[in-house]
Amino acid sequence: MNKRNTTIRYGVAVLAAVVLVLALTVPASAAGSGSCGAGLTWSLDGTVLTISGTGEMEDYSDAYMPPWYANAGEITAAVVGEGVTSVGSLAFFGCSALGTVTLPSTLERIGDRAFKDCVSLGYVGFPASLKAIGEAAFENCSSLTSARLPEGLVSIGNMAFYHCVS
């Protein structure tokens, strides 16, 4: 192999390494979309997260966070559309800039830790259809000043509003 081919191969290897490092260090784009349950889709446009469709949102876990989690700190508003019947566990966990959330009249359940650590959330309007609020669903929502619970609510999980000091 001659010196020119070696130089080209070395250059390609360095370029590939630079691209890999950039891909791993540049923050995720504040735009995206995908599925978040059978019949449900999500889209992130700038700082607004929208959940659309019909049915239950997927429940997430510490090992399997929502697909928009990489942008959680940048989300300022969430719109859960009509037809959605549940907000999954950990769905908005850590969305520290989330100031407003719109919930549909079709919502029946809010999962465990669904809004945990949403420290900028000041108000939640619960629909009359809501039957259950999961464990620690609004834990550490320290700016939450008002939440009117519907008459038909059947269960509120342990620590659902723990450390909601406002």
Side-chain angles (χ1 to χ4, degrees), residues 61-122:
S61 67
D62 293 325
Y64 177 64
M65 295 300 285
W68 53 85
Y69 182 69
N71 299 99
E74 300 162 16
I75 297 170
T76 61
V79 178
V80 182
E82 289 297 320
V84 178
T85 59
S86 73
V87 170
S89 296
L90 293 168
F92 300 102
F93 172 76
C95 290
S96 57
L98 182 66
T100 61
V101 62
T102 303
L103 299 175
S105 65
T106 52
L107 190 69
E108 297 175 1
R109 179 183 71 89
I110 296 174
D112 296 344
R113 300 182 290 160
F115 292 93
K116 183 178 179 185
D117 295 337
C118 292
V119 296
S120 298
L121 188 61

Side-chain angles (χ1 to χ4, degrees), residues 35-63:
S35 174
C36 58
L40 295 182
T41 59
W42 67 274
S43 64
L44 181 59
D45 185 8
T47 63
V48 179
L49 177 64
T50 303
I51 309 296
S52 304
T54 304
E56 294 185 4
M57 184 187 291
E58 191 168 340
D59 282 319
Y60 297 97
S61 67
D62 293 325

